[in-house]
Amino acid sequence: MRLFVALSGVSAVVGAARALRGAGDAASMEWGDWIPRESAGWRTRLDYRLEQIRRIESSQERWDAVLNLAVTGLLVPNFTETGYKVVRTPEAVHKKLNDTLVAGFANQRKEHRVDQISGETAGFVPLNRLSNEIMRDLQPLHEEWSGVPLKPSNAYGFWVYPPGN
């Protein structure tokens, strides 16, 4: 069985002044312009997400997604062409996470349905008290990648997507 496991680790709120660097006069921008305009890949990613949002049927979920996208596009600078980087997880962290996933797999709860994900509803295995420890363990990697000091915020757990998602 193939699993897609998502871990939301360290996050940071970066000041708008830094996000606006090099963006020019914001007052002269037109609707649909993303800030910062640092790469074509970032613009493509944001436009792709906007198309996903347009397909959300629930007006409340669509509104929430638009606000999230606005924060992403306007306030958070991108650090790579796609907004993420794949790296090897330190072995000790991997063991803690794997042990937690294996121990909680049989008792995972079902998540709510998401319009953009087809197939069976995903399961969820929480990190619980391990959250803070994992964030501390991963913080140096995230800070090295981002180039800025980060403040640990939240780590939830594992979303378990069955085949067909």
Side-chain angles (χ1 to χ4, degrees):
M1 177 179 192
R2 297 176 103 185
L3 302 177
F4 175 75
V5 180
L7 169 67
S8 175
V10 178
S11 66
V13 175
V14 181
R18 178 156 187 240
L20 292 172
R21 73 185 186 292
D25 179 15
S28 67
M29 297 182 68
E30 294 184 24
W31 177 257
D33 286 344
W34 296 110
I35 303 172
R37 289 178 249 148
E38 296 180 24
S39 71
W42 186 241
R43 170 67 188 245
T44 299
R45 173 58 53 193
L46 294 174
D47 288 342
Y48 176 80
R49 181 69 183 121
L50 183 59
E51 287 306 313
Q52 288 181 314
I53 291 169
R54 288 183 173 140
R55 294 191 303 266
I56 297 174
E57 292 181 19
S58 163
S59 60
Q60 183 62 56
E61 288 179 20
R62 192 171 46 252
W63 174 250
D64 293 344
V66 165
L67 289 180
N68 187 303
L69 182 65
V71 168
T72 303
L74 299 174
L75 298 179
V76 180
N78 65 306
F79 297 98
T80 67
E81 184 73 10
T82 57
Y84 62 88
K85 180 179 177 183
V86 177
V87 297
R88 183 168 296 282
T89 304
E91 193 171 317
V93 174
H94 179 85
K95 179 171 178 14
K96 290 176 198 176
L97 293 172
N98 190 63
D99 290 350
T100 301
L101 178 61
V102 169
F105 194 82
N107 298 319
Q108 62 186 281
R109 71 173 194 248
K110 288 294 182 186
E111 282 292 280
H112 66 279
R113 184 108 180 107
V114 177
D115 292 338
Q116 290 72 34
I117 300 175
S118 62
E120 188 179 333
T121 304
F124 183 76
V125 176
L127 283 174
N128 297 325
R129 294 182 182 178
L130 189 60
S131 295
N132 290 330
E133 184 178 335
I134 293 298
M135 286 189 293
R136 278 191 307 274
D137 289 347
L138 293 177
Q139 187 171 353
L141 289 173
H142 287 103
E143 289 179 343
E144 178 186 342
W145 168 77
S146 68
V148 297
L150 300 172
K151 181 178 179 182
S153 175
N154 50 13
Y156 306 105
F158 301 96
W159 282 266
V160 182
Y161 295 93
N165 288 82

